[in-house]
Amino acid sequence: MAGNVGTPGATVAGRVMAILDAFDDQHPRLPLSELARRAGLPLPTAHRLAGELVRHGALARARGDYAIGRRLWEIGLLAPVPSTLREAASPFLNDIHAATRATVHLAVRDGEQVLYLERLAGRASVPVVSTVGSTLPLHATGVGKVLLAHAPADIRRRVLAALTRVTPYTVTQPGRLRAQLAQIRLTGYATTVEEMSLGACSVAVPVRREDQVVAAIGVVVPTLRRDRARLTAALQVAAQGIARHLGA
Amino acid sequence: MAGNVGTPGATVAGRVMAILDAFDDQHPRLPLSELARRAGLPLPTAHRLAGELVRHGALARARGDYAIGRRLWEIGLLAPVPSTLREAASPFLNDIHAATRATVHLAVRDGEQVLYLERLAGRASVPVVSTVGSTLPLHATGVGKVLLAHAPADIRRRVLAALTRVTPYTVTQPGRLRAQLAQIRLTGYATTVEEMSLGACSVAVPVRREDQVVAAIGVVVPTLRRDRARLTAALQVAAQGIARHLGA
DNA sequence: CCGATTCTTCCACTCAGTGGAAGAATCGGG
DNA sequence: CCCGATTCTTCCACTGAGTGGAAGAATCGG
């Protein structure tokens, strides 16, 4: 189409996605120059495509800065996997949250990472780094360990071959983590102790559906010393409730 | 670019948005023919563009059906207005939910409709039709009345000129609603009694920031007879907490 | 006020994109 | 199992939607 394409073979759809990909948690708002730079597009191209996305509501522009628009927020909510799981889980996560006042998570495995679908923030000052839509390592989080324990063997093999340290307490010896995963499959719950953040411990359990682990739920607390059994029991009841809702 | 464009002047970005717009709550999954039909595109065009969106993760395809992909879910979460409000409000909405076990809403005005940003589902069997991301009429919902009471005069004028009946109890006389809106500005809260759904009543209050009403929060209950004052007080405390969080 | 930076518009040129047609694949009823 | 109906995939001649450097307008901040 164009007489002077800087990147032959690039498509308009690809450029549109490059624009949308320019935004992230650290950059929710971008001026035009920065948007073009991050999208890898010449200024006039970014200007024209962003303008069209604004007209469709996919982007919004206020005081010179572009941001993701309401229309994309609405479209994103239509993604079936996050919305089905969140809808089924929400009442149970609220119950756990009401009972514990702790941060509560709903997560799924995404390749070799854990993806957070829902997070109810705790009031206690426990450091929690997860945000909805973000991913964290499988081996260093409670929900992640549950999902890893029930992952296909090739996924476990790859994760166990590349264990990175997050805190001094992160388990990075493959043998030790493998033993933990076997234990998780046996007992039905996972724990972490300051492995993802200092000062934060967690318990998590699987949500099963037809012999598959489709998600994990967990809580993050300052210490597991007193409440581990109680938290585990509450999470297991909630997980069963979620599974029933999913079966409907 | 193309030799035989069916819709001269149409852009690729526009076609991409037409594909994304083809999905809605009733149609979260679509086979290719249906996607093309709903997007108003010829089959090969829809096939090619959808395939490219799948490669970018914006769409997903499973067993022949397309759906909104995880990448768009993540991008949608970056929309600042919904995420800022939801993040600020979440602890307070959780508190209200824990205390009342009722459906709790966070909403903003979107033109002449109320847009639901967050909904914590109640356990009581009270009929609630809102879903996150959806819009409902301003005049028939608690949060809607609050937002309408504090809307610009031209918005109020337009809404009051077109009041549709949702249940037999919906207020459709402009004079009567105008009086209610004045009362809401005076007392600081709105109520509905079976105006949106039979069997559902609601209370709602504004969330203010710098003399502006930026959102409304509310609860939906089976009856207001006993708890109206208590619910209103709890909502007002929560609204003030949210406003403080927004100011940070 | 002025230099720096960002944003907007222009437009010659062309190749990314077009969709009808045809055939492959799938589905479901008999 | 067969066959008609329907959906999906691929092809490709043709062209106009899209391109980005350049230039000028607008904005910003010292």
Side-chain angles (χ1 to χ4, degrees), chain B residues 166-199:
Chain B
V166 183
T167 76
Y169 303 99
T170 313
V171 176
T172 52
Q173 303 104 312
R176 200 168 149 221
L177 185 61
R178 195 177 289 115
Q180 285 191 356
L181 299 182
Q183 187 78 356
I184 290 163
R185 288 192 289 273
L186 216 59
T187 61
Y189 69 93
T191 62
T192 60
V193 178
E194 298 195 286
E195 295 162 53
M196 185 70 229
S197 308
L198 297 184

PDB file of all heavy atoms in Angstrom, chain B residues 166-199:
ATOM      1  N   VAL B 166     -39.158   0.259  33.546  1.00  0.00           N
ATOM      2  CA  VAL B 166     -38.488  -1.041  33.614  1.00  0.00           C
ATOM      3  C   VAL B 166     -39.355  -2.024  34.390  1.00  0.00           C
ATOM      4  O   VAL B 166     -39.530  -3.166  33.988  1.00  0.00           O
ATOM      5  CB  VAL B 166     -37.097  -0.924  34.271  1.00  0.00           C
ATOM      6  CG1 VAL B 166     -36.371  -2.265  34.280  1.00  0.00           C
ATOM      7  CG2 VAL B 166     -36.252   0.125  33.552  1.00  0.00           C
ATOM      8  N   THR B 167     -39.888  -1.601  35.524  1.00  0.00           N
ATOM      9  CA  THR B 167     -40.899  -2.372  36.275  1.00  0.00           C
ATOM     10  C   THR B 167     -42.082  -1.441  36.473  1.00  0.00           C
ATOM     11  O   THR B 167     -41.998  -0.239  36.191  1.00  0.00           O
ATOM     12  CB  THR B 167     -40.366  -2.813  37.660  1.00  0.00           C
ATOM     13  OG1 THR B 167     -40.385  -1.676  38.548  1.00  0.00           O
ATOM     14  CG2 THR B 167     -38.961  -3.398  37.601  1.00  0.00           C
ATOM     15  N   PRO B 168     -43.211  -1.993  36.963  1.00  0.00           N
ATOM     16  CA  PRO B 168     -44.350  -1.112  37.245  1.00  0.00           C
ATOM     17  C   PRO B 168     -44.038  -0.010  38.255  1.00  0.00           C
ATOM     18  O   PRO B 168     -44.743   0.991  38.321  1.00  0.00           O
ATOM     19  CB  PRO B 168     -45.407  -2.078  37.809  1.00  0.00           C
ATOM     20  CG  PRO B 168     -45.031  -3.412  37.235  1.00  0.00           C
ATOM     21  CD  PRO B 168     -43.525  -3.424  37.175  1.00  0.00           C
ATOM     22  N   TYR B 169     -42.950  -0.183  39.026  1.00  0.00           N
ATOM     23  CA  TYR B 169     -42.609   0.824  40.038  1.00  0.00           C
ATOM     24  C   TYR B 169     -41.572   1.841  39.585  1.00  0.00           C
ATOM     25  O   TYR B 169     -41.216   2.753  40.334  1.00  0.00           O
ATOM     26  CB  TYR B 169     -42.096   0.126  41.318  1.00  0.00           C
ATOM     27  CG  TYR B 169     -43.099  -0.862  41.867  1.00  0.00           C
ATOM     28  CD1 TYR B 169     -42.979  -2.217  41.602  1.00  0.00           C
ATOM     29  CD2 TYR B 169     -44.188  -0.404  42.603  1.00  0.00           C
ATOM     30  CE1 TYR B 169     -43.912  -3.114  42.077  1.00  0.00           C
ATOM     31  CE2 TYR B 169     -45.135  -1.291  43.081  1.00  0.00           C
ATOM     32  CZ  TYR B 169     -44.993  -2.645  42.806  1.00  0.00           C
ATOM     33  OH  TYR B 169     -45.934  -3.524  43.259  1.00  0.00           O
ATOM     34  N   THR B 170     -41.067   1.684  38.370  1.00  0.00           N
ATOM     35  CA  THR B 170     -40.089   2.652  37.866  1.00  0.00           C
ATOM     36  C   THR B 170     -40.703   4.048  37.825  1.00  0.00           C
ATOM     37  O   THR B 170     -41.834   4.220  37.384  1.00  0.00           O
ATOM     38  CB  THR B 170     -39.626   2.272  36.446  1.00  0.00           C
ATOM     39  OG1 THR B 170     -39.301   0.889  36.399  1.00  0.00           O
ATOM     40  CG2 THR B 170     -38.409   3.088  36.041  1.00  0.00           C
ATOM     41  N   VAL B 171     -39.930   5.029  38.317  1.00  0.00           N
ATOM     42  CA  VAL B 171     -40.410   6.406  38.293  1.00  0.00           C
ATOM     43  C   VAL B 171     -40.257   6.959  36.875  1.00  0.00           C
ATOM     44  O   VAL B 171     -39.140   7.070  36.367  1.00  0.00           O
ATOM     45  CB  VAL B 171     -39.619   7.277  39.298  1.00  0.00           C
ATOM     46  CG1 VAL B 171     -40.062   8.729  39.196  1.00  0.00           C
ATOM     47  CG2 VAL B 171     -39.809   6.750  40.717  1.00  0.00           C
ATOM     48  N   THR B 172     -41.364   7.271  36.229  1.00  0.00           N
ATOM     49  CA  THR B 172     -41.289   7.757  34.853  1.00  0.00           C
ATOM     50  C   THR B 172     -41.882   9.167  34.699  1.00  0.00           C
ATOM     51  O   THR B 172     -41.850   9.728  33.603  1.00  0.00           O
ATOM     52  CB  THR B 172     -42.015   6.815  33.870  1.00  0.00           C
ATOM     53  OG1 THR B 172     -43.346   6.579  34.366  1.00  0.00           O
ATOM     54  CG2 THR B 172     -41.285   5.475  33.777  1.00  0.00           C
ATOM     55  N   GLN B 173     -42.404   9.723  35.797  1.00  0.00           N
ATOM     56  CA  GLN B 173     -42.877  11.109  35.727  1.00  0.00           C
ATOM     57  C   GLN B 173     -41.693  12.042  36.019  1.00  0.00           C
ATOM     58  O   GLN B 173     -41.114  11.976  37.107  1.00  0.00           O
ATOM     59  CB  GLN B 173     -43.972  11.386  36.756  1.00  0.00           C
ATOM     60  CG  GLN B 173     -45.179  10.482  36.638  1.00  0.00           C
ATOM     61  CD  GLN B 173     -45.165   9.433  37.731  1.00  0.00           C
ATOM     62  OE1 GLN B 173     -44.142   8.779  37.959  1.00  0.00           O
ATOM     63  NE2 GLN B 173     -46.294   9.264  38.409  1.00  0.00           N
ATOM     64  N   PRO B 174     -41.359  12.915  35.067  1.00  0.00           N
ATOM     65  CA  PRO B 174     -40.200  13.797  35.241  1.00  0.00           C
ATOM     66  C   PRO B 174     -40.245  14.614  36.534  1.00  0.00           C
ATOM     67  O   PRO B 174     -39.232  14.744  37.217  1.00  0.00           O
ATOM     68  CB  PRO B 174     -40.255  14.697  34.004  1.00  0.00           C
ATOM     69  CG  PRO B 174     -40.972  13.874  32.980  1.00  0.00           C
ATOM     70  CD  PRO B 174     -41.969  13.049  33.741  1.00  0.00           C
ATOM     71  N   GLY B 175     -41.424  15.153  36.848  1.00  0.00           N
ATOM     72  CA  GLY B 175     -41.546  15.984  38.048  1.00  0.00           C
ATOM     73  C   GLY B 175     -41.180  15.219  39.306  1.00  0.00           C
ATOM     74  O   GLY B 175     -40.458  15.720  40.186  1.00  0.00           O
ATOM     75  N   ARG B 176     -41.666  13.998  39.359  1.00  0.00           N
ATOM     76  CA  ARG B 176     -41.423  13.177  40.531  1.00  0.00           C
ATOM     77  C   ARG B 176     -39.936  12.833  40.664  1.00  0.00           C
ATOM     78  O   ARG B 176     -39.370  12.903  41.756  1.00  0.00           O
ATOM     79  CB  ARG B 176     -42.267  11.904  40.426  1.00  0.00           C
ATOM     80  CG  ARG B 176     -42.461  11.239  41.764  1.00  0.00           C
ATOM     81  CD  ARG B 176     -43.520  10.151  41.716  1.00  0.00           C
ATOM     82  NE  ARG B 176     -43.134   9.135  42.695  1.00  0.00           N
ATOM     83  CZ  ARG B 176     -43.221   7.848  42.511  1.00  0.00           C
ATOM     84  NH1 ARG B 176     -43.689   7.383  41.371  1.00  0.00           N
ATOM     85  NH2 ARG B 176     -42.859   7.002  43.447  1.00  0.00           N
ATOM     86  N   LEU B 177     -39.325  12.472  39.545  1.00  0.00           N
ATOM     87  CA  LEU B 177     -37.899  12.143  39.593  1.00  0.00           C
ATOM     88  C   LEU B 177     -37.063  13.372  39.922  1.00  0.00           C
ATOM     89  O   LEU B 177     -36.109  13.302  40.698  1.00  0.00           O
ATOM     90  CB  LEU B 177     -37.447  11.531  38.265  1.00  0.00           C
ATOM     91  CG  LEU B 177     -35.998  11.051  38.254  1.00  0.00           C
ATOM     92  CD1 LEU B 177     -35.764   9.951  39.297  1.00  0.00           C
ATOM     93  CD2 LEU B 177     -35.597  10.565  36.883  1.00  0.00           C
ATOM     94  N   ARG B 178     -37.435  14.517  39.348  1.00  0.00           N
ATOM     95  CA  ARG B 178     -36.723  15.765  39.631  1.00  0.00           C
ATOM     96  C   ARG B 178     -36.741  16.071  41.123  1.00  0.00           C
ATOM     97  O   ARG B 178     -35.717  16.459  41.704  1.00  0.00           O
ATOM     98  CB  ARG B 178     -37.364  16.901  38.829  1.00  0.00           C
ATOM     99  CG  ARG B 178     -36.510  18.159  38.752  1.00  0.00           C
ATOM    100  CD  ARG B 178     -37.122  19.256  37.884  1.00  0.00           C
ATOM    101  NE  ARG B 178     -37.087  18.952  36.468  1.00  0.00           N
ATOM    102  CZ  ARG B 178     -38.163  18.751  35.698  1.00  0.00           C
ATOM    103  NH1 ARG B 178     -39.384  18.816  36.205  1.00  0.00           N
ATOM    104  NH2 ARG B 178     -38.028  18.493  34.431  1.00  0.00           N
ATOM    105  N   ALA B 179     -37.868  15.856  41.736  1.00  0.00           N
ATOM    106  CA  ALA B 179     -37.989  16.078  43.173  1.00  0.00           C
ATOM    107  C   ALA B 179     -37.091  15.112  43.946  1.00  0.00           C
ATOM    108  O   ALA B 179     -36.422  15.489  44.921  1.00  0.00           O
ATOM    109  CB  ALA B 179     -39.442  15.929  43.610  1.00  0.00           C
ATOM    110  N   GLN B 180     -37.073  13.864  43.476  1.00  0.00           N
ATOM    111  CA  GLN B 180     -36.192  12.877  44.142  1.00  0.00           C
ATOM    112  C   GLN B 180     -34.723  13.290  44.030  1.00  0.00           C
ATOM    113  O   GLN B 180     -33.954  13.147  44.984  1.00  0.00           O
ATOM    114  CB  GLN B 180     -36.367  11.491  43.488  1.00  0.00           C
ATOM    115  CG  GLN B 180     -37.664  10.800  43.873  1.00  0.00           C
ATOM    116  CD  GLN B 180     -37.673   9.346  43.433  1.00  0.00           C
ATOM    117  OE1 GLN B 180     -36.740   8.865  42.779  1.00  0.00           O
ATOM    118  NE2 GLN B 180     -38.742   8.626  43.784  1.00  0.00           N
ATOM    119  N   LEU B 181     -34.329  13.787  42.853  1.00  0.00           N
ATOM    120  CA  LEU B 181     -32.929  14.178  42.643  1.00  0.00           C
ATOM    121  C   LEU B 181     -32.549  15.343  43.561  1.00  0.00           C
ATOM    122  O   LEU B 181     -31.453  15.382  44.122  1.00  0.00           O
ATOM    123  CB  LEU B 181     -32.674  14.530  41.174  1.00  0.00           C
ATOM    124  CG  LEU B 181     -32.919  13.404  40.144  1.00  0.00           C
ATOM    125  CD1 LEU B 181     -32.582  13.885  38.746  1.00  0.00           C
ATOM    126  CD2 LEU B 181     -32.138  12.147  40.487  1.00  0.00           C
ATOM    127  N   ALA B 182     -33.478  16.278  43.710  1.00  0.00           N
ATOM    128  CA  ALA B 182     -33.218  17.406  44.621  1.00  0.00           C
ATOM    129  C   ALA B 182     -33.029  16.888  46.051  1.00  0.00           C
ATOM    130  O   ALA B 182     -32.129  17.327  46.774  1.00  0.00           O
ATOM    131  CB  ALA B 182     -34.370  18.398  44.545  1.00  0.00           C
ATOM    132  N   GLN B 183     -33.886  15.934  46.422  1.00  0.00           N
ATOM    133  CA  GLN B 183     -33.795  15.332  47.758  1.00  0.00           C
ATOM    134  C   GLN B 183     -32.463  14.606  47.944  1.00  0.00           C
ATOM    135  O   GLN B 183     -31.863  14.663  49.025  1.00  0.00           O
ATOM    136  CB  GLN B 183     -34.961  14.342  47.918  1.00  0.00           C
ATOM    137  CG  GLN B 183     -35.112  13.762  49.310  1.00  0.00           C
ATOM    138  CD  GLN B 183     -35.767  14.729  50.267  1.00  0.00           C
ATOM    139  OE1 GLN B 183     -36.047  15.882  49.901  1.00  0.00           O
ATOM    140  NE2 GLN B 183     -35.990  14.281  51.498  1.00  0.00           N
ATOM    141  N   ILE B 184     -31.994  13.937  46.920  1.00  0.00           N
ATOM    142  CA  ILE B 184     -30.727  13.204  46.978  1.00  0.00           C
ATOM    143  C   ILE B 184     -29.558  14.165  47.195  1.00  0.00           C
ATOM    144  O   ILE B 184     -28.655  13.905  47.987  1.00  0.00           O
ATOM    145  CB  ILE B 184     -30.520  12.392  45.673  1.00  0.00           C
ATOM    146  CG1 ILE B 184     -31.518  11.234  45.602  1.00  0.00           C
ATOM    147  CG2 ILE B 184     -29.088  11.880  45.575  1.00  0.00           C
ATOM    148  CD1 ILE B 184     -31.694  10.636  44.228  1.00  0.00           C
ATOM    149  N   ARG B 185     -29.612  15.293  46.499  1.00  0.00           N
ATOM    150  CA  ARG B 185     -28.542  16.286  46.696  1.00  0.00           C
ATOM    151  C   ARG B 185     -28.566  16.824  48.115  1.00  0.00           C
ATOM    152  O   ARG B 185     -27.535  17.170  48.679  1.00  0.00           O
ATOM    153  CB  ARG B 185     -28.679  17.425  45.681  1.00  0.00           C
ATOM    154  CG  ARG B 185     -28.305  17.029  44.254  1.00  0.00           C
ATOM    155  CD  ARG B 185     -28.173  18.248  43.351  1.00  0.00           C
ATOM    156  NE  ARG B 185     -29.476  18.862  43.066  1.00  0.00           N
ATOM    157  CZ  ARG B 185     -30.268  18.473  42.067  1.00  0.00           C
ATOM    158  NH1 ARG B 185     -29.904  17.512  41.255  1.00  0.00           N
ATOM    159  NH2 ARG B 185     -31.439  19.073  41.881  1.00  0.00           N
ATOM    160  N   LEU B 186     -29.764  16.869  48.705  1.00  0.00           N
ATOM    161  CA  LEU B 186     -29.931  17.378  50.066  1.00  0.00           C
ATOM    162  C   LEU B 186     -29.469  16.383  51.115  1.00  0.00           C
ATOM    163  O   LEU B 186     -28.682  16.697  52.002  1.00  0.00           O
ATOM    164  CB  LEU B 186     -31.423  17.702  50.260  1.00  0.00           C
ATOM    165  CG  LEU B 186     -31.779  18.905  51.113  1.00  0.00           C
ATOM    166  CD1 LEU B 186     -31.167  20.165  50.530  1.00  0.00           C
ATOM    167  CD2 LEU B 186     -33.301  19.025  51.165  1.00  0.00           C
ATOM    168  N   THR B 187     -29.978  15.145  50.993  1.00  0.00           N
ATOM    169  CA  THR B 187     -29.721  14.148  52.036  1.00  0.00           C
ATOM    170  C   THR B 187     -28.426  13.377  51.799  1.00  0.00           C
ATOM    171  O   THR B 187     -27.898  12.769  52.717  1.00  0.00           O
ATOM    172  CB  THR B 187     -30.869  13.126  52.065  1.00  0.00           C
ATOM    173  OG1 THR B 187     -30.924  12.480  50.785  1.00  0.00           O
ATOM    174  CG2 THR B 187     -32.208  13.806  52.346  1.00  0.00           C
ATOM    175  N   GLY B 188     -27.959  13.352  50.559  1.00  0.00           N
ATOM    176  CA  GLY B 188     -26.706  12.668  50.295  1.00  0.00           C
ATOM    177  C   GLY B 188     -26.819  11.195  49.981  1.00  0.00           C
ATOM    178  O   GLY B 188     -25.810  10.492  49.915  1.00  0.00           O
ATOM    179  N   TYR B 189     -28.044  10.677  49.806  1.00  0.00           N
ATOM    180  CA  TYR B 189     -28.160   9.276  49.410  1.00  0.00           C
ATOM    181  C   TYR B 189     -29.410   9.083  48.552  1.00  0.00           C
ATOM    182  O   TYR B 189     -30.330   9.874  48.604  1.00  0.00           O
ATOM    183  CB  TYR B 189     -28.204   8.342  50.633  1.00  0.00           C
ATOM    184  CG  TYR B 189     -29.462   8.450  51.455  1.00  0.00           C
ATOM    185  CD1 TYR B 189     -30.550   7.611  51.221  1.00  0.00           C
ATOM    186  CD2 TYR B 189     -29.553   9.395  52.485  1.00  0.00           C
ATOM    187  CE1 TYR B 189     -31.705   7.719  51.979  1.00  0.00           C
ATOM    188  CE2 TYR B 189     -30.710   9.509  53.238  1.00  0.00           C
ATOM    189  CZ  TYR B 189     -31.789   8.667  52.987  1.00  0.00           C
ATOM    190  OH  TYR B 189     -32.935   8.784  53.730  1.00  0.00           O
ATOM    191  N   ALA B 190     -29.404   7.998  47.761  1.00  0.00           N
ATOM    192  CA  ALA B 190     -30.538   7.637  46.913  1.00  0.00           C
ATOM    193  C   ALA B 190     -31.038   6.263  47.281  1.00  0.00           C
ATOM    194  O   ALA B 190     -30.273   5.427  47.773  1.00  0.00           O
ATOM    195  CB  ALA B 190     -30.135   7.649  45.438  1.00  0.00           C
ATOM    196  N   THR B 191     -32.317   6.044  47.039  1.00  0.00           N
ATOM    197  CA  THR B 191     -32.875   4.706  47.232  1.00  0.00           C
ATOM    198  C   THR B 191     -33.722   4.339  46.018  1.00  0.00           C
ATOM    199  O   THR B 191     -34.189   5.210  45.279  1.00  0.00           O
ATOM    200  CB  THR B 191     -33.788   4.632  48.476  1.00  0.00           C
ATOM    201  OG1 THR B 191     -34.891   5.538  48.283  1.00  0.00           O
ATOM    202  CG2 THR B 191     -33.031   5.011  49.740  1.00  0.00           C
ATOM    203  N   THR B 192     -33.878   3.041  45.813  1.00  0.00           N
ATOM    204  CA  THR B 192     -34.892   2.552  44.887  1.00  0.00           C
ATOM    205  C   THR B 192     -35.663   1.433  45.570  1.00  0.00           C
ATOM    206  O   THR B 192     -35.126   0.750  46.460  1.00  0.00           O
ATOM    207  CB  THR B 192     -34.295   1.972  43.584  1.00  0.00           C
ATOM    208  OG1 THR B 192     -33.439   0.880  43.912  1.00  0.00           O
ATOM    209  CG2 THR B 192     -33.551   3.021  42.772  1.00  0.00           C
ATOM    210  N   VAL B 193     -36.900   1.279  45.155  1.00  0.00           N
ATOM    211  CA  VAL B 193     -37.737   0.207  45.681  1.00  0.00           C
ATOM    212  C   VAL B 193     -38.377  -0.497  44.491  1.00  0.00           C
ATOM    213  O   VAL B 193     -39.339   0.012  43.895  1.00  0.00           O
ATOM    214  CB  VAL B 193     -38.827   0.758  46.620  1.00  0.00           C
ATOM    215  CG1 VAL B 193     -39.727  -0.378  47.127  1.00  0.00           C
ATOM    216  CG2 VAL B 193     -38.193   1.479  47.814  1.00  0.00           C
ATOM    217  N   GLU B 194     -37.806  -1.612  44.091  1.00  0.00           N
ATOM    218  CA  GLU B 194     -38.315  -2.458  42.998  1.00  0.00           C
ATOM    219  C   GLU B 194     -38.438  -1.705  41.679  1.00  0.00           C
ATOM    220  O   GLU B 194     -39.278  -2.034  40.859  1.00  0.00           O
ATOM    221  CB  GLU B 194     -39.668  -3.074  43.397  1.00  0.00           C
ATOM    222  CG  GLU B 194     -39.572  -3.979  44.622  1.00  0.00           C
ATOM    223  CD  GLU B 194     -40.797  -4.852  44.791  1.00  0.00           C
ATOM    224  OE1 GLU B 194     -41.848  -4.311  45.196  1.00  0.00           O
ATOM    225  OE2 GLU B 194     -40.703  -6.048  44.486  1.00  0.00           O
ATOM    226  N   GLU B 195     -37.593  -0.691  41.458  1.00  0.00           N
ATOM    227  CA  GLU B 195     -37.694   0.116  40.255  1.00  0.00           C
ATOM    228  C   GLU B 195     -36.895  -0.454  39.092  1.00  0.00           C
ATOM    229  O   GLU B 195     -37.150  -0.144  37.931  1.00  0.00           O
ATOM    230  CB  GLU B 195     -37.236   1.544  40.568  1.00  0.00           C
ATOM    231  CG  GLU B 195     -38.167   2.223  41.571  1.00  0.00           C
ATOM    232  CD  GLU B 195     -37.548   3.441  42.242  1.00  0.00           C
ATOM    233  OE1 GLU B 195     -37.079   4.328  41.513  1.00  0.00           O
ATOM    234  OE2 GLU B 195     -37.545   3.516  43.484  1.00  0.00           O
ATOM    235  N   MET B 196     -35.897  -1.282  39.405  1.00  0.00           N
ATOM    236  CA  MET B 196     -35.075  -1.920  38.365  1.00  0.00           C
ATOM    237  C   MET B 196     -35.421  -3.400  38.257  1.00  0.00           C
ATOM    238  O   MET B 196     -35.471  -3.954  37.171  1.00  0.00           O
ATOM    239  CB  MET B 196     -33.592  -1.719  38.708  1.00  0.00           C
ATOM    240  CG  MET B 196     -32.630  -2.235  37.657  1.00  0.00           C
ATOM    241  SD  MET B 196     -32.650  -1.265  36.131  1.00  0.00           S
ATOM    242  CE  MET B 196     -32.791  -2.581  34.916  1.00  0.00           C
ATOM    243  N   SER B 197     -35.641  -4.044  39.411  1.00  0.00           N
ATOM    244  CA  SER B 197     -36.057  -5.438  39.456  1.00  0.00           C
ATOM    245  C   SER B 197     -37.045  -5.628  40.578  1.00  0.00           C
ATOM    246  O   SER B 197     -36.850  -5.093  41.676  1.00  0.00           O
ATOM    247  CB  SER B 197     -34.883  -6.376  39.744  1.00  0.00           C
ATOM    248  OG  SER B 197     -33.820  -6.160  38.875  1.00  0.00           O
ATOM    249  N   LEU B 198     -38.091  -6.423  40.309  1.00  0.00           N
ATOM    250  CA  LEU B 198     -39.020  -6.750  41.395  1.00  0.00           C
ATOM    251  C   LEU B 198     -38.255  -7.551  42.442  1.00  0.00           C
ATOM    252  O   LEU B 198     -37.474  -8.446  42.117  1.00  0.00           O
ATOM    253  CB  LEU B 198     -40.214  -7.542  40.840  1.00  0.00           C
ATOM    254  CG  LEU B 198     -41.074  -6.785  39.821  1.00  0.00           C
ATOM    255  CD1 LEU B 198     -42.271  -7.618  39.405  1.00  0.00           C
ATOM    256  CD2 LEU B 198     -41.517  -5.441  40.389  1.00  0.00           C
ATOM    257  N   GLY B 199     -38.486  -7.188  43.708  1.00  0.00           N
ATOM    258  CA  GLY B 199     -37.824  -7.886  44.788  1.00  0.00           C
ATOM    259  C   GLY B 199     -36.481  -7.287  45.178  1.00  0.00           C
ATOM    260  O   GLY B 199     -35.813  -7.772  46.088  1.00  0.00           O
TER     261      GLY B 199
END
